[in-house]
Amino acid sequence: MLALCGTVLCLFPAKPSQAAKKFVSKGCLDCHTKFADKYFAMKDVHPVVKEKKCEECHIRHGIVPKLLLKGPIGTICFKCHSKDKIGMNKPIVHSALKSGKCTLCHNPHASNGSKLLQAEGNAICYTCHKKEAYEKKVVHKVLQSKEGCLACHLSHSSDEKNLLTMGEPKLCLSCHDSGNSAFKKAHGNYPVETKRCTTCHNPHSSELPKLLRASLHNPVGTGGCDGCHNAATAKEPFGVTQKGAELCYQCHDVKTLKTGAVEHQPFKKGDCLSCHDPHTSEYAKLTLKDGNALCVSCHKEKGIVQTYKHDVVNQGKGCLSCHKPHAAQNKGLLVAKGADLCYSCHAKVKDAEKAHKVIHEPFADGDCSSCHNPHGSGIPGMLKDRADNVCYGCHTDLEAKFRTNFTHKPVQLGDCMACHSPHGGDQKKLVRASAPKLCEPCHGEMMKQESGGTNHKPFVEGDCLTCHDPHSSNNTGMLARKEDTVCFTCHSDMEKGLKAAASKHAPLVNGECTKCHNPHKSKLSKLLLAQGTDLCLNCHKNIKEKLSKETPHDPAQSNCQSCHKPHFSAQAPLLADPQQKLCGQCHDLKTASFGKAHLNISVEAMNCMSCHDPHASKDPKFFKDTIHPPFAGRSCEDCHIVGKR
């Protein structure tokens, strides 16, 4: 059998066209020709690229969002370049390398420079480090040499801070001869070769001669080191002649600095060096850090970047725009007291708001910081907290009061200033405008009157607060009181009639006037929500179904109020008149035929609805659905003694 199958297969070999369809794999560079033209022409090509081993780093088909890479760039590089080999085991590692961002410096494919660098010499460093800081008036000569930055720094890692090739002062003394007479003279014969050179000198560039830092303490600039330190020949030449602030007060008059009873804590302790460098600094006044950075080194909470910034804090003098650095007459070292400080910039606010009739008490008292954070905030207007929480700080009773079932949206969002002016206004309770203008910005469309229809009088007069609470309520529609109580304030006759009536409409009893009436406006008379029977059948659904399936009684189909009163009545169920009188408006109760049909029973003794359905029936005489058989056969005599009464 197997031999036969083999013979058959030989007789019918595969077609040449099928064999040609075999899948042939292509290399990456068969498509990426521009890549090949660009990188293979460069001087230094990454070996893995030169060997066309693209899949050492890339996934053939790619995975979003990794841009076809097998993993983070640093992880891929470390597969070939071991961490120990590139120095990641050392205490100080270049931040770019530490974060795995190798491609900040190196091109992963090829480069015209050495070591696959994106740029040559100092230029590669300047991609991250601002060039201006290294090209001031006086430039360290070594920086301009062929080695450039690498004369002093290592590129990947080091045992020394700032990636230095060796520590200070050893690194500096590898070029500068400390035994040279000029060197000694320049340093007043002090043994500075044992100290850090960068205490006084900028190692890169400076606007001052000898690479001295931008801010220079006068004794350093004049070579008067012995004004503060022991003599150069002393056993401890760098020891100081006085302790702490007493040394500084030899030149700096403490009375000039002490401008008020409130003193900055470091100044009070005589700890001048917590803010100032005694020799040189890159910053004005010999400060250890620039501007606000000095202050936030202690006041860390003030260094948080805020969404809504106080411009004066982040511009110009920064913290010193409002605070004195050493001492002041005002609490918090402020340069002026309370609102006077704020008005030095916000004079227009003061003039505009003070002109109003009603002034917010904190604003009148100049207590700006009771509402605002002077350093910045995450809340618009630099408020200390969400507007409602700031307001509840004084209006403590309102927070619990506003926790109701129905809350006005601005209150819910904590936006008190949507309706109230925070500083001053011309209306009571600091509202921005009186109703209805106050309500129009949000409810403008709803507040347009109904042309050709009915408009509720308070609605027309814009007296919104007659009915509504502007903040919150436990009543639907944010009504100031229960719905019926609000309505009865004006419609007192309705309240009196309801109390005296025998039959009462359920919505009115339940205080649900708006089940039938629109409280603002309507295209129909009497502010009704719907016309004719449609209004009633919205609730009386059983009658609606009966009218649709059976023969309707004309009055029930045309107008419910031809028989019923809408609110209350002396007759049940809400009948406009006694039953006999009501039926007699359409049916002649005195005819012989009526008497015969009703066994001549007296009309006054009859209850029409005992037998007839007043709305609809399957029976032509509107008899009820369930009927006693003798009655259905009109055989009253079978049970009753017929006689005129």
Side-chain angles (χ1 to χ4, degrees), residues 123-289:
I124 189 65
C125 301
Y126 294 155
T127 56
C128 294
H129 302 278
K130 291 181 180 179
K131 190 176 181 180
E132 298 78 18
Y134 304 89
E135 295 187 345
K136 294 176 184 176
K137 187 176 179 181
V138 181
V139 180
H140 196 181
K141 287 181 181 179
V142 73
L143 193 61
Q144 297 172 323
S145 68
K146 184 179 178 181
E147 288 180 289
C149 303
L150 295 180
C152 299
H153 300 279
L154 293 169
S155 54
H156 289 138
S157 61
S158 173
D159 291 319
E160 304 293 339
K161 289 182 179 180
N162 298 317
L163 294 170
L164 292 174
T165 56
M166 59 183 84
E168 286 188 71
K170 186 178 178 181
L171 177 61
C172 303
L173 296 176
S174 64
C175 293
H176 301 279
D177 183 5
S178 61
N180 184 288
S181 58
F183 182 94
K184 289 186 175 184
K185 183 180 179 182
H187 295 90
N189 291 312
Y190 277 85
V192 293
E193 64 274 11
T194 61
K195 302 295 179 182
R196 288 176 56 246
C197 306
T198 52
T199 299
C200 297
H201 301 280
N202 187 311
H204 302 114
S205 69
S206 173
E207 296 296 333
L208 298 178
K210 306 295 182 182
L211 289 171
L212 288 168
R213 293 186 178 275
S215 184
L216 197 65
H217 198 188
N218 190 54
V220 176
T222 58
C225 303
D226 56 0
C228 300
H229 294 283
N230 296 331
T233 55
K235 186 179 180 181
E236 294 182 5
F238 294 111
V240 290
T241 56
Q242 295 284 341
K243 288 185 178 181
E246 294 303 319
L247 181 64
C248 303
Y249 295 154
Q250 289 181 137
C251 298
H252 302 281
D253 185 4
V254 66
K255 291 180 180 178
T256 305
L257 297 173
K258 194 171 183 178
T259 54
V262 181
E263 296 180 15
H264 195 188
Q265 200 64 22
F267 176 73
K268 190 175 184 178
K269 291 180 178 179
D271 189 9
C272 306
L273 301 187
S274 64
C275 298
H276 300 281
D277 190 297
H279 300 107
T280 65
S281 171
E282 293 294 350
Y283 316 114
K285 306 287 185 183
L286 288 166
T287 56
L288 297 176
K289 293 183 180 179

Side-chain angles (χ1 to χ4, degrees), residues 14-24:
K15 293 179 181 180
S17 60
Q18 290 177 330
K21 288 182 179 178
K22 186 178 179 181
F23 181 78
V24 178

Side-chain angles (χ1 to χ4, degrees), residues 334-347:
L334 293 172
V335 298
K337 193 174 182 180
D340 291 336
L341 176 61
C342 303
Y343 293 150
S344 63
C345 293
H346 303 283

Side-chain angles (χ1 to χ4, degrees), residues 415-424 428-433 438 470-471:
D415 188 11
C416 306
M417 288 181 288
C419 300
H420 300 277
S421 293
H423 298 129
K428 288 181 179 179
K429 298 184 179 179
L430 291 168
V431 291
R432 293 187 180 275
L438 182 63
H471 298 109

